[in-house]
Amino acid sequence: MSIVSRSLTVLIAMGAAAQAGSALAQSTSGSLAQAQAQSGDMFARDRSVAVRDRPHPEYEAMGLPMGGFTVYPKLDIVGEYNDNVFATATGAVDDVILRLRPEVAVSTDWNRSSITAYARSTISRYSNYTSENTTDYDLGGAARLDVSRAMNIVGGASYGQFHEPRTAASSGAQAAEPIEYDAASGYIAATRTAGRVKLSGRGDIRSFDYKDGFTSTGAVVDQDDRDRVNSSLTGRVDVALSPATALFVQASANDRNYDVASTPTIAARDSSGYEILAGANFELGAVARGEIAAGYIEQNFDESAYKDLSGLGARVSLEWFPTQLTTVTFTGARTIEDSAIAGSGGYVSTNAAVQVDHEFMRNVILSGQVSYGNDDYDGIDRTDKRFGAQASATYLINRHLGASVTASHYEQNSDGADSGVNFDLNKLMVSLVTQF
């Protein structure tokens, strides 16, 4: 049975389980739960507003009205100090970088449905190491169709040109300049809520086109074996047990197809896989809310040169509100990712982070974050462990100006016979944002 067929079977079973779960929940509910089910609020998780999501009308951009649309121009000017520009273990060099991030966004002001679009760029200029200068851009848009109060359909697409940071495991350390790549993506999703049952589905497709790099002597750093198209299909069924708790099952299938076929020296990394998760979505009064899920993940490679990967899959997203002015956010995931390291088809990636946001004043927000990651590579003896810490302060001056300062630390420790580079780096960034 194919991956897609298995996923369809799982989705049908999910739907049947949802109907049974809904019947059970209906038989054990109170009058309040019945009323909220009829009003379509069984899945609302809005008792509290996170610090970063809290509206600040007096500091928000007004935009430029144009017919039924509003245009929002924005420019972020960033001055950055980096003490290890090339992310090396020894001989670290520092530099000062100027980053300009112009952006324009357009959105409708309709009561129902919406259309949005954006164009943005990041222009980075180094003071001393001009070989690191890059210009990235990204174009995209999305539309939402509100079919009814209980159902909507959304879709979007984007295209951009980017450069890999030197901290990436696949960045091509021997390349004289950062590796450039084009990325395009598209998606369509739908959600329908009927009382205690919410059904949702989503399809995604993403393509990556990497450009060859060159060493300082002119030798080619071949990137063709990384070009690929990734597609996925996800279905989910939520069943509300109460106005504050829902159980769900989610199944997804993916295909990862590489442009370059296998050669005598390099095996293509084509693969297909799936993920099945079960979990709960909940809200504990105005104190906490979130979602926890665990299950099984598997990725099967077409070429026998790569071992199939499987095991525990998990996703966690929790928000805790110790006070109205403080939000603590916990996130985590365990997934299977593509590898760009010779001899490895993929790796199991485990990541966790905690972030604290505090509204020190109405227009001053303080934030801190600590993160940890572990990448265990298939086919080679290599495990990368990453640690990051960051602190920032944001000052909203008025609706046209804002400023922030951020200090961060990042380090990587790579173990094994095929280990990568061990390094650490520190950054200090000062930003001024102008918007209209």
Side-chain angles (χ1 to χ4, degrees):
M1 184 181 291
S2 69
I3 293 295
V4 173
S5 298
R6 276 186 286 178
S7 297
L8 290 175
T9 301
V10 170
L11 292 178
I12 293 172
M14 287 162 58
Q19 296 299 327
S22 178
L24 176 62
Q26 290 282 3
S27 66
T28 59
S29 64
S31 59
L32 175 61
Q34 292 283 0
Q36 288 186 295
Q38 293 174 1
S39 66
D41 292 333
M42 296 296 287
F43 300 96
R45 303 289 184 258
D46 52 7
R47 292 285 299 275
S48 293
V49 179
V51 169
R52 288 287 176 181
D53 298 331
R54 186 165 298 146
H56 296 84
E58 66 274 33
Y59 297 106
E60 294 174 359
M62 297 290 289
L64 307 174
M66 293 186 177
F69 296 83
T70 303
V71 180
Y72 298 92
K74 179 180 177 181
L75 175 63
D76 190 4
I77 305 171
V78 182
E80 176 185 318
Y81 170 77
N82 185 327
D83 72 352
N84 191 354
V85 172
F86 296 97
T88 57
T90 60
V93 296
D94 61 352
D95 207 348
V96 175
I97 307 107
L98 173 65
R99 302 191 195 276
L100 302 178
R101 294 173 177 157
E103 177 181 338
V104 59
V106 181
S107 64
T108 58
D109 52 11
W110 305 338
N111 292 328
R112 290 175 58 83
S113 302
S114 67
I115 297 176
T116 60
Y118 67 87
R120 59 193 177 208
S121 178
T122 299
I123 304 166
S124 302
R125 295 295 179 264
Y126 286 67
S127 176
N128 296 320
Y129 298 95
T130 57
S131 63
E132 299 302 292
N133 291 349
T134 58
T135 299
D136 296 343
Y137 67 85
D138 187 15
L139 310 171
R144 188 189 78 247
L145 174 63
D146 295 324
V147 180
S148 67
R149 292 183 59 186
M151 180 177 181
N152 64 65
I153 301 173
V154 297
S158 66
Y159 175 81
Q161 175 183 283
F162 309 95
H163 292 80
E164 282 192 320
R166 292 293 189 176
T167 54
S170 55
S171 66
Q174 70 273 37
E177 298 180 357
I179 296 297
E180 177 186 325
Y181 67 97
D182 297 336
S185 66
Y187 73 92
I188 185 168
T191 301
R192 186 179 187 278
T193 303
R196 294 176 175 274
V197 178
K198 181 168 68 172
L199 304 175
S200 55
R202 174 168 174 143
D204 285 87
I205 185 167
R206 299 189 68 191
S207 70
F208 300 88
D209 182 11
Y210 289 82
K211 314 301 180 185
D212 291 343
F214 297 91
T215 67
S216 58
T217 61
V220 175
V221 182
D222 190 7
Q223 299 291 308
D224 289 341
D225 65 326
R226 301 178 63 189
D227 298 345
R228 63 189 184 275
V229 176
N230 292 354
S231 57
S232 65
L233 177 65
T234 301
R236 172 167 163 160
V237 178
D238 291 70
V239 178
L241 303 183
S242 75
T245 305
L247 301 181
F248 70 87
V249 178
Q250 177 177 302
S252 63
N254 71 75
D255 281 298
R256 303 172 182 178
N257 297 308
Y258 284 75
D259 293 351
V260 176
S262 297
T263 68
T265 57
I266 299 178
R269 296 186 178 91
D270 291 356
S271 67
S272 60
Y274 64 91
E275 175 187 69
I276 300 177
L277 301 176
N281 180 287
F282 57 89
E283 184 174 52
L284 304 177
V287 178
R289 66 180 174 220
E291 185 169 291
I292 300 176
Y296 184 78
I297 51 176
E298 182 172 308
Q299 199 71 23
N300 301 303
F301 293 90
D302 293 355
E303 294 288 347
S304 59
Y306 304 120
K307 183 181 69 174
D308 295 340
L309 294 171
S310 62
L312 172 69
R315 298 180 190 273
V316 178
S317 178
L318 301 173
E319 288 181 307
W320 173 41
F321 308 96
T323 72
Q324 292 185 348
L325 300 179
T326 304
T327 302
V328 182
T329 304
F330 304 88
T331 57
R334 192 172 192 269
T335 59
I336 296 175
E337 306 296 336
D338 288 324
S339 170
I341 309 300
S344 174
Y347 59 91
V348 177
S349 182
T350 304
N351 296 278
V354 57
Q355 177 167 323
V356 180
D357 296 303
H358 179 69
E359 192 174 287
F360 181 70
M361 298 175 62
R362 176 66 177 169
N363 61 334
V364 177
I365 298 174
L366 306 179
S367 299
Q369 183 188 73
V370 176
S371 63
Y372 172 80
N374 182 299
D375 297 338
D376 187 5
Y377 284 83
D378 163 48
I380 59 176
D381 182 16
R382 173 171 173 170
T383 301
D384 291 350
K385 299 176 182 179
R386 305 177 308 280
F387 172 79
Q390 177 176 294
S392 66
T394 301
Y395 174 36
L396 306 176
I397 301 170
N398 55 46
R399 67 174 66 254
H400 299 300
L401 289 174
S404 67
V405 57
T406 302
S408 66
H409 172 79
Y410 180 86
E411 63 183 62
Q412 173 179 292
N413 294 301
S414 187
D415 301 325
D418 302 301
S419 62
V421 177
N422 296 331
F423 67 88
D424 62 80
L425 61 83
N426 300 285
K427 292 182 181 181
L428 178 63
M429 293 170 283
V430 179
S431 171
L432 177 66
V433 178
T434 63
Q435 59 185 18
F436 298 94

